[in-house]
């Protein structure tokens, strides 16, 4: 444990020197005996956590990967915490999704035993035409990208309320205003109503969404408006985090 602690102190010290630092300086800053510092520095170089150039030590690729992974986890944690807060505040399951590499990806879901998420009984990626998340994402794409998606995942009726064909869906999407929430009532799952709010992420298509049992459909519009307001309050701090 002592060696690990000393090695971590050396890594922290190196990280403070953008232009590198010699072993003697690192030993002095960490309070280590020079032979001990040399031994640990050589080990850290061997393992890729540091690299040495002209007698100076710099962070290596392994340490940079750790830093990148840690930053990504922090961003994801920010999103998870925000969704959990909205779930409890509004009393609904909350979803976050993006359209990435030609696919609908639900990246985070926050629900509770009292307010469970919709059961993914049909693959969300293949049924984007039928649920609010997919419709909201497709509405943010250009016409070519929409048609490409529907060529790969043709419209099919999965409930009596699902849009019947691709032409009808495209007309609906074209009528959807850029920042207008998308409302879907039992098109994906019988007994469930959903709403999805478009999120501006540069050129990326993203959405936050909620769902409710059909017998609570009268809550849907108010809950959607509340989520919009909450997103507006936190959008500045979430702008980077939701690019997970």
């Amino acid at each position: 444990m002592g060696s690990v602690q000393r090695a971590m102190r050396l890594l922290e010290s190196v990280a403070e020197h953008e232009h590198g630092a010699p072993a003697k300086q690192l030993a002095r800053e960490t309070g280590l005996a020079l032979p001990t510092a040399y031994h640990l520095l050589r080990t850290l170089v061997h393992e890729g956590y540091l690299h040495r150039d002209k007698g100076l030590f710099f962070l290596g690729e392994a340490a940079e990967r750790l830093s990148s992974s840690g930053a990504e986890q922090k961003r994801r944690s920010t999103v998870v915490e925000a969704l959990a807060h909205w779930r409890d505040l509004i009393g609904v399951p909350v979803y976050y999704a993006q359209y990435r590499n030609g696919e609908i990806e639900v990246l985070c879901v926050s629900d509770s035993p009292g307010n469970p998420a919709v059961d993914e009984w049909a693959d969300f990626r293949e049924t984007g035409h039928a649920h609010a998340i997919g419709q909201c994402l497709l509405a943010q794409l250009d016409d070519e990208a929409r048609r490409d998606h529907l060529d790969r995942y043709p419209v099919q009726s999965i409930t009596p309320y699902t849009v019947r064909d691709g032409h009808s869906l495209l007309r609906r999407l074209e009528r959807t205003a850029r920042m207008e929430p998308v409302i879907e009532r039992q098109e994906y799952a019988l007994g469930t109503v959903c709403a999805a709010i478009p999120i501006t992420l540069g050129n990326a298509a993203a959405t936050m969404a909620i769902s409710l049992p059909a017998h609570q459909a009268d809550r849907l519009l108010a809950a959607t408006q509340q989520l919009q307001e909450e997103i507006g309050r936190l959008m500045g701090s979430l702008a980077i985090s939701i690019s997970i």
Side-chain angles (χ1 to χ4, degrees), residues 162-182:
T162 308
V163 64
R164 295 302 176 191
D165 56 70
H167 294 297
S168 299
L169 176 66
L170 288 171
R171 285 197 298 271
R172 181 196 294 184
L173 296 176
E174 288 166 1
R175 292 195 300 267
T176 302
R178 177 169 174 76
M179 298 310 295
E180 178 183 331
V182 172

Side-chain angles (χ1 to χ4, degrees), residues 19-143:
H19 302 294
K24 287 183 179 180
Q25 181 178 355
L26 295 170
R28 183 171 61 252
E29 291 177 354
T30 55
L32 298 176
L34 187 57
T36 301
Y38 269 126
H39 171 71
L40 290 172
L41 288 168
R42 283 196 298 270
T43 301
L44 290 168
V45 168
H46 177 74
E47 296 297 330
Y49 291 99
L50 296 177
H51 79 267
R52 187 179 184 183
D53 183 29
K54 298 179 181 178
L56 302 178
F57 291 90
F58 302 81
L59 290 180
E61 292 184 2
E64 291 171 356
R65 285 197 300 271
L66 281 178
S67 175
S68 175
S69 297
E72 182 176 345
Q73 289 179 11
K74 185 175 181 180
R75 290 197 301 270
R76 182 174 181 83
S77 177
T78 299
V79 175
V80 169
E81 289 173 5
L83 265 62
H85 170 69
W86 295 333
R87 175 202 66 204
D88 295 339
L89 179 68
I90 306 173
V92 294
V94 186
Y95 311 74
Y96 172 61
Q98 281 189 28
Y99 195 83
R100 302 198 300 191
N101 301 316
E103 300 291 347
I104 293 167
E105 296 187 21
V106 179
L107 300 174
C108 189
V109 180
S110 186
D111 65 351
S112 65
N115 295 293
V118 176
D119 179 32
E120 188 179 350
W121 72 275
D123 193 323
F124 276 163
R125 292 171 300 177
E126 299 178 5
T127 56
H129 63 280
H131 49 73
I133 287 173
Q135 292 174 22
C136 186
L137 293 174
L138 292 174
Q140 297 176 61
L141 305 180
D142 60 33
D143 185 65

